[in-house]
Amino acid sequence: MDSMQPSVKCIRLVHLAQLSMTFLQRSSAKGVPPVPFETEDNNIEGVADIVLLEPVTEDAFVANLKKRYKHRRIYTYLGNVLLSVNPYCDIPIYTPEYIDRYRSRNLYELPPHIFAIADDAYRSMRDRNLDQCIIISGESGSGKTEASKLVMRYVAAVSVKGHRIDKIKSMLLQSNPLLEAFGNAKTMKNDNSSRFGKYMDIEFDFKGEPLGGIITNYLLEKSRVAVQPPGERNFHIFYQVLGGADVSHLKSLRLSRNPEKYRLLNNHDSYIADTIDDKAAFLATKAAMEAVGFRPEEVQEVLTIVAGVLKIGNVEFQPVSNIDGSEGCLLIKEYELRDLCDMFQSPDSVLQTALTTRRVEAGSEVVAIEYSATEAHSARDALCKALYSRLFTWLISKLNENIRVENHGKRKCLGVLDIYGFEVFEHNGFEQFVINYCNEKLQQLFIELTLKEEQEDYVKEGITWTHIDYFNNEAICDLVDKSHVGILSILDEECLRPGEVSDESFLERLTQKLEQHKFLETRLGRRCQNDKSLAHDCFRIQHYAGAVTYSVAGFIEKNSDLLYRDLSQAMFACNLLLLKSLFPEGNPSRVCLKRPTTAGFKFKNSMNALMKNLHMKNPSYIRCVKPNESQTASKFDDNVVRRQVKYLGLMENLRVRRSGFCFRQLHLQFLNRYKMLSSKTWPNWSGPPRKGVEALMKELRIDLVEYAVGISKVFIRNPIMLFELEEKRRLHLGQLATLLQAVYRGWRCRHAYQKLRKSQIVIAKNWRRYEVLAAPCKLCSC
């Protein structure tokens, strides 16, 4: 029996060698070389998990990202956070072969990839019954929109197949080009910049089959409809209609092909986006609308309103002096208004009156007040913005009707949040203020959940918890949104206050109430009276990512978000059915004296609802980083990346992760990876995995201070120790490979020899038999 043991061991080793060769052959046959996690050379390509970085400095952080980027490694882990550096070019790492490779694999088993994050979230939702959310954030141009599409594409690919399910998947995926057409625009930083925040909940049944979804949008940048910064475009859909609709369709919309003829599009002669084909995009948008369930007549109504916005934007007013000495206005370019009224199926006089006068109730009387030319232009722009923003909201509502889950059984949920990143421009206004407030809330959630996860992991594993000091931005969030005393509350009070209000009066009131706040500075306050870097019409907030100065110009108007009732009634009076649903308050039989809620109030409530939703889910984070401002492939600007590392709070997150243990892994996984380093655990450990880990670490003589063995995981404190383990493993794998080769070659030679020997025996036996049989014949012949 003992003599049989070596041969059994040889057979096992040979079998292992054959399996390894089969795996390599299959991988090569797919055209994609195998890329196990350990094949990344940390010295050449940088560390794949930046938690293992040494030393922990901002310079080393940026240098590591740069090193990986130069080797086309655009993904890097920061613990369970994925950092994604925009390559600004196509990289063949999103093929079906890559989807298959990352399917059902552990997070750190393969090199960092967005598919790994998506797979981990999907399997946690499906197998562990935990609702998930993937939070994607970063500056404009960092690749957030593409990242969200890749996540959805991966989930669609790995979930269950079927005709009904494939239809749902198609609708969810086709929602992207539709929302991009109406919600994205070319900016100085990005040709396809999302000008709204989006959160999509994808709902699944217990088997992991997608059932449907629901989309929530946040703060569309509707001011872009009326005016765009130099070098930027309006929303894509306007250019798509002009560039992609055929001649007969344009004629029915009363439009011409040339964008220069439309005031809303020719502000700065920025008509073309180099990376966008407007004609092809228009066909894709129409196909997407049909795919998600829009009827042909609904598509036509939507495009009619888009054309109507362009027509309203072309209406001009000329100042005139009235008899009483007041300033009035005279409508010019009346043909634009006539076209508009034909499209909206409205009498000319109704819309003309609403654009030039405003009715005011004085007791029991109604007085018509004529607009000045400036006021008429403001009313016109307000109508353009209201039409477009309400159309966008209606599109999302209609989309939700078509993709919403039909049954009411128990469901699981995977959310994807694609939200604007921290913004600092030369001129920062109301939009940047609310966007950065949103990022403060997300940063607060990020730190809370990261620390909470750390603490819960240590407590669950029985590891001593050491308190981690970190910057708590709760005071900054309270500065903005605290009831009665926050900036948003003060702004609302000023908007609702009777009498004359202005942006300047808001700044004065802000200074009176919050002058002593350590994170707020105004020139009107005593602390900053002599600070010449701060203009008199601005205030500065010390955000978690740095100081940002905001100009109060336009705060009152943008927060009030008012549309005069005359314009709402004019829109409701149109016979185009969609307009009636967009302006329900214009119904004369519907009298509502309540003042509409402000933009800031609605955004604050939507943020609170979002935070509540995210708190109930298991979060995964994708932090998108742009390597340069010029959107150039292979260019890495250290200063640009350094600024984003700061704004995204990545060093803070790294410090939190490194304050405890830098690495953790389940006992069985750790033992399977490093068991060859100990004679007690190699080739197999028959006892409990925890005991095997303890035996392994004891034989390696690793100091107890450097690691801790929990109930189900082993924790490594210092990355250097982990690198040493990896190096020892690499050397042992080389020795094992040599042993496997030797055994396999010996087995192959022995097997060949035995076949030859058997053949020789058969030949010899048959030859002897032949000789015996041939002998009588020879005798006879004699």
Side-chain angles (χ1 to χ4, degrees):
M1 202 64 184
D2 293 337
S3 61
M4 292 292 291
Q5 290 303 318
S7 62
V8 171
K9 191 175 287 188
C10 286
I11 291 170
R12 286 176 179 170
L13 288 169
V14 168
H15 181 61
L16 182 60
Q18 289 173 326
L19 285 175
S20 301
M21 291 180 69
T22 303
F23 171 75
L24 291 170
Q25 288 166 355
R26 286 178 180 173
S27 299
S28 300
K30 290 180 179 179
V32 184
V35 282
F37 188 72
E38 62 268 17
T39 60
E40 289 199 358
D41 192 322
N42 290 333
N43 293 323
I44 297 174
E45 300 178 359
V47 293
D49 187 347
I50 220 157
V51 173
L52 307 176
L53 187 67
E54 285 290 348
V56 184
T57 64
E58 192 175 89
D59 289 340
F61 195 113
V62 174
N64 189 73
L65 290 180
K66 184 175 185 177
K67 186 184 291 186
R68 292 182 62 75
Y69 185 74
K70 293 298 183 184
H71 287 87
R72 298 171 73 84
R73 300 284 190 178
I74 64 171
Y75 295 119
T76 305
Y77 287 133
L78 201 171
N80 55 358
V81 177
L82 181 73
L83 307 183
S84 171
V85 184
N86 195 338
Y88 293 123
C89 64
D90 292 330
I91 300 179
I93 57 173
Y94 307 109
T95 59
E97 289 79 13
Y98 274 85
I99 291 175
D100 289 340
R101 177 180 303 160
Y102 280 88
R103 187 199 301 256
S104 300
R105 303 295 289 269
N106 293 319
L107 188 61
Y108 300 106
E109 193 173 345
L110 295 174
H113 201 291
I114 194 168
F115 289 166
I117 295 292
D119 184 79
D120 186 64
Y122 174 72
R123 287 192 296 115
S124 296
M125 179 272 304
R126 184 194 63 191
D127 302 336
R128 297 166 56 200
N129 204 27
L130 297 172
D131 284 350
Q132 302 288 315
C133 64
I134 298 176
I135 301 172
I136 305 171
S137 60
E139 285 190 9
S140 178
S142 60
K144 301 187 298 297
T145 300
E146 290 303 313
S148 67
K149 289 193 285 189
L150 286 168
V151 168
M152 292 177 63
R153 179 178 148 200
Y154 181 85
V155 172
V158 300
S159 54
V160 184
K161 304 289 188 295
H163 177 70
R164 183 186 65 83
I165 296 168
D166 289 342
K167 183 180 178 182
I168 293 170
K169 290 179 185 178
S170 175
M171 291 174 70
L172 291 171
L173 293 174
Q174 286 296 325
S175 67
N176 283 315
L178 175 58
L179 293 177
E180 284 182 23
F182 286 87
N184 289 24
K186 174 187 181 293
T187 66
M188 294 298 290
K189 296 186 175 184
N190 182 8
D191 282 356
N192 189 35
S193 175
S194 297
R195 306 319 299 160
F196 71 106
K198 179 183 70 175
Y199 178 73
M200 174 182 277
D201 261 334
I202 309 172
E203 298 184 320
F204 300 80
D205 66 7
F206 70 96
K207 301 190 294 293
E209 294 179 2
L211 300 172
I214 188 166
I215 298 169
T216 307
N217 68 297
Y218 301 96
L219 194 73
L220 177 74
E221 187 192 23
K222 61 182 180 181
S223 60
R224 179 172 292 272
V225 176
V227 63
Q228 306 91 45
E232 299 190 1
R233 296 204 314 178
N234 212 318
F235 291 100
H236 291 327
I237 188 62
F238 295 115
Y239 307 91
Q240 290 181 11
V241 171
L242 298 184
D246 57 41
V247 176
S248 61
H249 198 177
L250 281 177
K251 189 174 181 180
S252 71
L253 296 173
R254 310 290 203 281
L255 296 176
S256 65
R257 189 78 69 189
N258 188 358
E260 293 181 20
K261 293 186 177 181
Y262 301 99
R263 187 188 65 85
L264 297 182
L265 306 183
N266 67 2
N267 285 352
H268 303 286
D269 299 328
S270 299
Y271 309 121
I272 299 172
D274 296 333
T275 60
I276 297 174
D277 183 342
D278 290 318
K279 184 176 181 178
F282 178 69
L283 297 176
T285 300
K286 284 189 69 178
M289 293 181 78
E290 293 169 7
V292 298
F294 283 81
R295 299 191 305 273
E297 57 270 24
E298 289 176 329
V299 175
Q300 182 60 28
E301 284 188 332
V302 168
L303 296 179
T304 298
I305 291 178
V306 170
V309 172
L310 293 177
K311 286 289 184 181
I312 296 171
N314 275 2
V315 173
E316 296 286 351
F317 303 93
Q318 182 178 324
V320 295
S321 296
N322 296 323
I323 298 174
D324 60 359
S326 62
E327 183 185 332
C329 66
L330 180 67
L331 178 71
I332 55 178
K333 293 188 178 180
E334 292 184 8
Y335 62 89
E336 298 281 13
L337 189 62
R338 282 196 299 271
D339 283 348
L340 178 67
C341 291
D342 287 343
M343 293 160 59
F344 283 4
Q345 303 169 35
S346 167
D348 295 6
S349 57
V350 174
L351 194 51
Q352 181 173 344
T353 302
L355 285 168
T356 55
T357 60
R358 176 165 62 97
R359 289 176 298 171
V360 178
E361 294 182 5
S364 58
E365 296 183 2
V366 177
V367 180
I369 300 175
E370 192 173 352
Y371 287 136
S372 66
T374 301
E375 291 170 337
H377 284 132
S378 296
R380 174 204 62 195
D381 289 347
L383 180 58
C384 288
K385 292 185 285 187
L387 258 175
Y388 192 83
S389 64
R390 294 184 186 205
L391 175 63
F392 186 73
T393 302
W394 179 85
L395 280 169
I396 290 181
S397 299
K398 186 68 180 176
L399 188 57
N400 284 335
E401 284 179 22
N402 295 334
I403 65 174
R404 185 175 282 116
V405 178
E406 296 175 0
N407 62 60
H408 300 285
K410 189 174 181 181
R411 302 188 293 268
K412 305 174 184 180
C413 187
L414 191 156
V416 180
L417 177 66
D418 173 6
I419 202 93
Y420 8 64
F422 197 82
E423 289 191 353
V424 185
F425 300 135
E426 188 175 340
H427 175 84
N428 301 293
F430 180 76
E431 289 85 1
Q432 282 68 48
F433 171 69
V434 291
I435 284 172
N436 291 343
Y437 159 61
C438 167
N439 276 269
E440 285 287 355
K441 296 292 285 184
L442 288 173
Q443 178 68 10
Q444 186 181 31
L445 177 79
F446 179 61
I447 293 294
E448 279 179 11
L449 294 181
T450 302
L451 286 173
K452 182 182 177 184
E453 183 185 17
E454 288 276 309
Q455 186 171 11
E456 286 181 349
D457 211 14
Y458 291 148
V459 171
K460 186 172 68 176
E461 293 294 324
I463 305 297
T464 304
W465 165 253
T466 52
H467 177 73
I468 298 174
D469 291 321
Y470 65 97
F471 174 69
N472 190 342
N473 68 339
E474 184 178 358
I476 303 174
C477 294
D478 288 344
L479 168 66
V480 177
D481 66 9
K482 194 169 185 179
S483 298
H484 307 299
V485 294
I487 294 175
L488 288 175
S489 292
I490 296 170
L491 182 58
D492 283 352
E493 288 174 10
E494 195 66 11
C495 289
L496 301 174
R497 182 170 63 84
E500 288 293 323
V501 296
S502 64
D503 297 321
E504 290 72 22
S505 65
F506 159 64
L507 185 57
E508 289 174 9
R509 195 170 179 81
L510 182 67
T511 305
Q512 289 171 6
K513 287 200 168 187
L514 296 171
E515 181 183 0
Q516 301 303 319
H517 201 290
K518 66 178 181 178
F519 293 112
L520 178 72
E521 299 170 358
T522 74
R523 193 71 180 272
L524 302 178
R526 278 173 285 186
R527 282 188 299 146
C528 302
Q529 279 181 342
N530 300 320
D531 186 354
K532 294 183 180 180
S533 65
L534 186 61
H536 288 281
D537 64 343
C538 296
F539 65 91
R540 183 186 292 141
I541 295 179
Q542 298 289 340
H543 287 284
Y544 77 91
V548 182
T549 302
Y550 301 99
S551 169
V552 295
F555 262 61
I556 294 293
E557 178 191 346
K558 291 174 181 177
N559 188 57
S560 298
D561 198 23
L562 287 178
L563 182 71
Y564 288 122
R565 185 172 176 79
D566 303 81
L567 290 170
S568 296
Q569 290 179 340
M571 290 295 101
F572 188 84
C574 298
N575 289 324
L576 192 67
L577 292 178
L578 181 52
L579 283 173
K580 292 184 183 295
S581 62
L582 296 184
F583 294 89
E585 77 278 11
N587 189 342
S589 63
R590 180 178 172 181
V591 179
C592 181
L593 301 177
K594 185 179 178 182
R595 189 182 178 97
T597 54
T598 63
F601 180 82
K602 286 187 281 191
F603 189 73
K604 173 184 169 182
N605 285 348
S606 65
M607 277 296 101
N608 289 336
L610 176 63
M611 293 302 114
K612 184 178 179 181
N613 190 351
L614 296 180
H615 264 291
M616 294 188 295
K617 292 181 168 64
N618 247 17
S620 301
Y621 289 92
I622 299 174
R623 302 293 213 183
C624 297
V625 177
K626 61 180 180 184
N628 58 74
E629 295 286 6
S630 57
Q631 303 179 46
T632 305
S634 303
K635 180 181 177 183
F636 192 97
D637 188 323
D638 291 34
N639 293 328
V640 171
V641 174
R642 192 184 307 277
R643 185 192 69 228
Q644 293 169 86
V645 168
K646 181 180 179 183
Y647 288 168
L648 291 169
L650 298 180
M651 287 302 298
E652 183 77 11
N653 185 27
L654 175 58
R655 194 171 65 82
V656 168
R657 294 286 301 191
R658 286 291 296 270
S659 295
F661 294 88
C662 74
F663 179 81
R664 66 212 62 193
Q665 197 170 37
L666 293 172
H667 291 151
L668 186 59
Q669 293 176 2
F670 186 85
L671 190 60
N672 284 339
R673 187 167 185 82
Y674 299 110
K675 63 182 180 180
M676 71 287 298
L677 303 183
S678 169
S679 58
K680 294 180 179 178
T681 55
W682 178 260
N684 291 305
W685 173 261
S686 57
R690 177 175 179 172
K691 294 292 184 183
V693 170
E694 291 173 344
L696 172 65
M697 302 301 259
K698 186 175 181 180
E699 184 164 337
L700 291 174
R701 296 182 180 179
I702 297 174
D703 196 328
L704 287 171
V705 179
E706 295 297 325
Y707 73 97
V709 180
I711 296 171
S712 64
K713 295 178 183 177
V714 57
F715 295 79
I716 305 296
R717 188 178 299 278
N718 197 313
I720 294 175
M721 195 195 96
L722 189 65
F723 290 142
E724 289 175 354
L725 286 174
E726 283 294 313
E727 181 62 19
K728 289 178 180 178
R729 180 177 181 273
R730 186 184 67 79
L731 294 173
H732 275 74
L733 284 177
Q735 296 169 6
L736 288 172
T738 303
L739 176 62
L740 282 171
Q741 289 174 348
V743 171
Y744 179 72
R745 286 169 183 161
W747 172 84
R748 189 173 61 182
C749 291
R750 181 176 178 79
H751 187 65
Y753 166 74
Q754 288 175 339
K755 285 178 69 176
L756 286 172
R757 187 179 177 191
K758 285 179 182 178
S759 300
Q760 183 268 331
I761 291 172
V762 170
I763 292 170
K765 182 180 73 173
N766 282 284
W767 174 255
R768 286 194 294 270
R769 183 168 179 255
Y770 167 75
E771 284 188 327
V772 170
L773 293 174
C777 296
K778 290 180 180 179
L779 291 172
C780 292
S781 61
C782 294

